[in-house]
Amino acid sequence: MSYVWTIAEQSKGKLRGVSFELLSRGRKLADKMNTQLCSVLLGSNVSDEALQELIYRGADNVYFIDDPRLENFIVETHSNVLSDLIREYKPHTILAAATSSGRSLMPYVAIQVNTGLTADCTELDIEEGTKHLLQTRPAIGGNIMATIKTPNHDPQMATVRPKSSRPLPEDTGRVGKIIRLSLKDELVDNRVEMIGFRKDLEEFVNIEEAEVVVAGGKGMKKQENFGMLKELAKRFDGVVGASRDAVDRGWLPYPHQIGLSGKTISPKLYICAGISGSIQHLAGIKTSETIIAVNTDPDANIFQLADFGIIGNLFEVIPKLNQRLENYKKEGK
Amino acid sequence: MNIIIPIKQVPETSNVKMDKETGTMIRDGVESVINPLDLYAIELGIQLKEIHGGKVTVCTMGPPSAQKALREAIAMGCDDGILITDRKFAGADTWATSYTLSEAIKNMGSFDLVLAGERATDGDTGQVGPGIAAWLNIPLATYVSHVDEVTNTHITVERLVEEGYQILKMPLPTLLTVVKEVSDPRLPTLRGKKKARATEIPVFSTENMNLNEGSLGLKGSPTKVVKIDYPKVTRGGKMVSANGEEGINAAIDELIKFLEEKELI
């Protein structure tokens, strides 16, 4: 049937935003091959409205395997189920999100169904003639863009970097089918047990899926100074990130770390202060849409990537910027 | 507790400078080091051995020169190193690499735990660890940030996910890929370095492993690189200096204008 599949993600019955980003990617590929786009969701307790939104945002069909045993992501069970679906329906292409679950599930599935997989793609296309999926990803710290294909194996599989594409607008005129499938007992793997979930950080952030990230580095000098960045982030409905230096100093916990040993992000707007820009850090922010940097050193690496750079003292610039944005909000200019 | 840690040798890039014209990194004279994220796995392995006994074996697939990475890991406190090397392994993608590593691990005798860095800083895929678990058909936890409890039969770990930390009780043997939060890597000791120099490193190759030749190296890799581009990453953005009260105000005026143009405010 050679359909294009995207793997939707849910958390506690709610669809996660990446599910819709994947559909906008998948729609382009399906249209190019003149085929259907299916959203595949493994989960539990997802409302009909949520499933319908998958159709409004690009899917032709939704396969929903609804079972309490799929509520929490357990890679062994989820990969058994997905591999079973792949063997049965033989999709042409599968796109999943490069999230903590997508990046665990897909490499496991690639071995189970014996096909290739390309990680963390930022561009996807279909090759004329062969219909192979052309998968482009940054490698070697973002210094090269490699285009990869899987010529002799099916399906064609890639994970896609969150925030590297925008969801399609909701089109309530779109019609599609919601197909509910039941979970086969033999696919449930009980070896691993989820015994809890911890979320005890005051502000647990998901910097990979934020539209705006405001980050600080060594130049912030101390933890208390991150207050001004939090304020700035709040003005953009964004979140606060940090360089490795700042995390190593204990100013922010590890989930905030941006760069090769932390998170790779592609926000709409990235603002950073007191970050000089190590190769590792730059690799983590290279695909950001707009980058604004504040640093005292005009030769700092970070300025080479900046769309707008301010050479100056962040302790003077950031508070002034906050004040200015406050006035801007009040006066609308 | 027998622990196996597959590691990778990668270019040392932490102090690398960028080419001002192109914004690409200057790779001349770049040294090879243990993948920084693998150090967290090594440290965790050594700590678990110190508490629970057993031994830690590091292995790496790469050219013969990669044994330097194994000796560094032994100098930190690992017991043994195994070099997995063969011309036929060259050019392997994550599928073929995880196949070869899983076969090598099967040849190392019984084990309780495989520990790996979440990803390597050069390839940056994070796919080899999960791939090994799938080949070995053992449970997998990725992004492990903390080990809560270890018993004779189970290990309880926390994995960092988008919304918090998922707590999983895993039966042994199992494979964990770890992130930085899991440990603080120690430095090699003088005694460790001495031991590392004296340790014999066995070599695994197609000659002493029973491998499916069609699954090895470039030839056995499902994915093929068809094109490499060197994007000019320098953005040539607008630069303003913010000196003194007036300078700062002017710079912020410009920035506000920029944000308006980009429709970001």
Side-chain angles (χ1 to χ4, degrees):
Chain A
M1 270 181 289
S2 72
Y3 291 166
V4 174
W5 283 9
T6 59
I7 309 300
E9 288 191 16
Q10 58 95 36
S11 167
K12 296 196 172 75
K14 274 209 176 127
L15 289 175
R16 307 189 53 227
V18 281
S19 313
F20 306 115
E21 294 169 24
L22 290 173
L23 283 172
S24 88
R25 293 273 188 182
R27 192 67 262 167
K28 270 186 217 143
L29 303 178
D31 288 346
K32 204 154 182 177
M33 291 191 288
N34 204 9
T35 186
Q36 291 195 320
L37 174 63
C38 307
S39 188
V40 177
L41 176 65
L42 316 185
S44 174
N45 259 326
V46 179
S47 69
D48 288 349
E49 290 76 31
L51 298 173
Q52 193 62 42
E53 189 178 348
L54 291 167
I55 290 169
Y56 292 160
R57 292 194 191 266
D60 296 304
N61 294 323
V62 175
Y63 291 118
F64 177 36
I65 297 107
D66 183 6
D67 195 289
R69 290 170 289 180
L70 295 173
E71 184 173 339
N72 297 311
F73 177 76
I74 299 287
V75 66
E76 293 76 24
T77 298
H78 279 241
S79 60
N80 283 347
V81 174
L82 184 57
S83 294
D84 184 62
L85 289 173
I86 292 169
R87 289 185 193 109
E88 187 171 343
Y89 293 94
K90 301 187 173 43
H92 176 277
T93 290
I94 305 180
L95 308 181
T99 51
S100 66
S101 28
R103 289 179 71 126
S104 311
L105 172 67
M106 296 307 282
Y108 213 100
V109 167
I111 305 306
Q112 288 183 324
V113 303
N114 188 20
T115 191
L117 172 68
T118 304
D120 214 13
C121 294
T122 53
E123 282 166 59
L124 295 164
D125 203 356
I126 298 289
E127 192 175 51
E128 297 283 335
T130 66
K131 289 193 178 177
H132 291 140
L133 180 66
L134 296 173
Q135 310 151 29
T136 303
R137 69 181 301 264
I140 327 236
N143 279 274
I144 64 168
M145 293 298 282
T147 301
I148 292 161
K149 68 174 183 179
T150 309
N152 305 314
H153 296 69
D154 286 310
Q156 313 272 301
M157 304 205 305
T159 60
V160 181
R161 186 173 288 189
K163 288 287 155 200
S164 66
S165 54
R166 308 270 164 247
L168 296 169
E170 225 173 327
D171 174 1
T172 52
R174 282 187 56 84
V175 183
K177 269 193 295 198
I178 294 170
I179 301 149
R180 288 170 186 274
L181 301 168
S182 52
L183 174 65
K184 297 176 186 167
D185 289 334
E186 69 268 26
L187 300 178
V188 177
D189 188 322
N190 286 320
R191 286 178 293 178
V192 175
E193 191 190 345
M194 179 170 148
I195 57 171
F197 198 88
R198 187 163 71 83
K199 189 180 183 170
D200 54 10
L201 296 170
E202 186 192 339
E203 297 163 56
F204 195 90
V205 295
N206 181 1
I207 56 173
E208 285 164 296
E209 290 174 36
E211 295 268 335
V212 177
V213 177
V214 179
K218 200 161 53 179
M220 294 304 296
K221 297 216 167 98
K222 54 184 179 184
Q223 190 170 26
E224 297 76 58
N225 292 332
F226 274 80
M228 64 177 92
L229 298 186
K230 282 182 191 157
E231 187 186 335
L232 184 57
K234 225 174 188 171
R235 295 184 187 282
F236 289 96
D237 282 327
V239 300
V240 176
S243 71
R244 179 188 170 144
D245 280 328
V247 170
D248 285 350
R249 285 169 171 74
W251 296 341
L252 276 180
Y254 173 70
H256 294 256
Q257 187 177 321
I258 298 160
L260 276 181
S261 51
K263 304 288 185 199
T264 304
I265 57 170
S266 300
K268 214 156 108 182
L269 174 61
Y270 180 66
I271 304 177
C272 63
I275 292 179
S276 59
S278 68
I279 296 280
Q280 277 81 353
H281 186 78
L282 299 183
I285 61 163
K286 240 165 221 172
T287 50
S288 303
E289 213 170 287
T290 300
I291 297 175
I292 296 170
V294 183
N295 205 291
T296 46
D297 176 7
D299 292 325
N301 274 337
I302 191 75
F303 284 131
Q304 295 182 45
L305 243 73
D307 298 286
F308 195 101
I310 296 180
I311 305 160
N313 180 346
L314 72 94
F315 299 107
E316 294 171 358
V317 174
I318 302 290
K320 275 239 157 90
L321 176 60
N322 272 325
Q323 195 184 7
R324 191 55 209 278
L325 287 167
E326 178 66 28
N327 295 341
Y328 188 92
K329 201 173 92 187
K330 275 188 200 148
E331 296 162 22
K333 63 170 187 168
Chain B
M1 174 165 251
N2 285 337
I3 300 169
I4 295 172
I5 308 179
I7 62 173
K8 186 180 187 187
Q9 202 177 36
V10 300
E12 191 331 60
T13 52
S14 56
N15 296 312
V16 165
K17 289 281 170 217
M18 277 169 71
D19 184 313
K20 286 232 158 158
E21 293 305 307
T22 62
T24 54
M25 72 173 145
I26 301 165
R27 294 173 67 91
D28 299 346
V30 172
E31 256 190 90
S32 290
V33 294
I34 296 176
N35 170 38
L37 279 77
D38 293 347
L39 295 176
Y40 307 120
I42 292 169
E43 176 61 35
L44 176 64
I46 297 169
Q47 285 178 15
L48 290 174
K49 177 191 83 168
E50 285 168 350
I51 302 166
H52 304 282
K55 67 171 186 165
V56 180
T57 305
V58 277
C59 60
T60 191
M61 183 173 116
S65 58
Q67 63 162 283
K68 177 174 163 260
L70 297 173
R71 290 191 198 280
E72 280 169 31
I74 294 168
M76 285 173 72
C78 296
D79 299 284
D80 296 307
I82 290 169
L83 178 67
I84 305 158
T85 190
D86 199 299
R87 280 179 188 281
K88 288 178 180 150
F89 300 157
D93 72 354
T94 59
W95 188 96
T97 300
S98 57
Y99 167 71
T100 308
L101 286 170
S102 68
E103 287 299 318
I105 288 169
K106 284 182 195 167
N107 276 279
M108 291 177 201
S110 74
F111 63 89
D112 301 292
L113 209 51
V114 180
L115 299 177
E118 191 269 311
R119 65 181 105 163
T121 54
D122 57 348
D124 196 20
T125 71
Q127 291 183 174
V128 171
I132 295 172
W135 281 111
L136 295 173
N137 190 23
I138 58 173
L140 160 73
T142 50
Y143 301 89
V144 169
S145 60
H146 195 247
V147 171
D148 289 347
E149 194 191 13
V150 182
T151 68
N152 284 335
T153 55
H154 287 82
I155 184 164
T156 303
V157 301
E158 298 187 12
R159 64 185 289 264
L160 175 63
V161 300
E162 284 75 5
E163 289 92 8
Y165 296 87
Q166 195 185 24
I167 305 169
L168 296 175
K169 187 176 177 191
M170 326 270 304
L172 302 174
T174 201
L175 187 145
L176 311 177
T177 76
V178 301
V179 295
K180 178 182 153 184
E181 239 178 344
V182 88
S183 70
D184 188 7
R186 67 190 71 190
L187 292 170
T189 60
L190 213 59
R191 225 174 103 205
K193 282 183 187 169
K194 245 186 200 164
K195 183 186 165 226
R197 273 196 297 274
T199 303
E200 201 180 319
I201 308 262
V203 174
F204 283 14
S205 69
T206 51
E207 277 165 35
N208 53 12
M209 285 199 289
N210 188 12
L211 296 167
N212 176 4
E213 296 239 350
S215 302
L216 303 178
L218 187 64
K219 233 174 57 197
S221 295
T223 61
K224 311 284 177 198
V225 176
V226 289
K227 198 174 70 167
I228 297 275
D229 286 325
Y230 296 84
K232 194 175 152 122
V233 289
T234 310
R235 297 193 180 194
K238 192 172 178 66
M239 297 283 292
V240 295
S241 287
N243 292 319
E245 183 87 23
E246 264 175 53
I248 295 167
N249 285 333
I252 288 176
D253 283 344
E254 289 254 22
L255 178 57
I256 296 287
K257 217 167 77 193
F258 173 83
L259 289 168
E260 278 177 337
E261 278 164 19
K262 293 262 174 190
E263 294 180 10
L264 290 163
I265 49 172

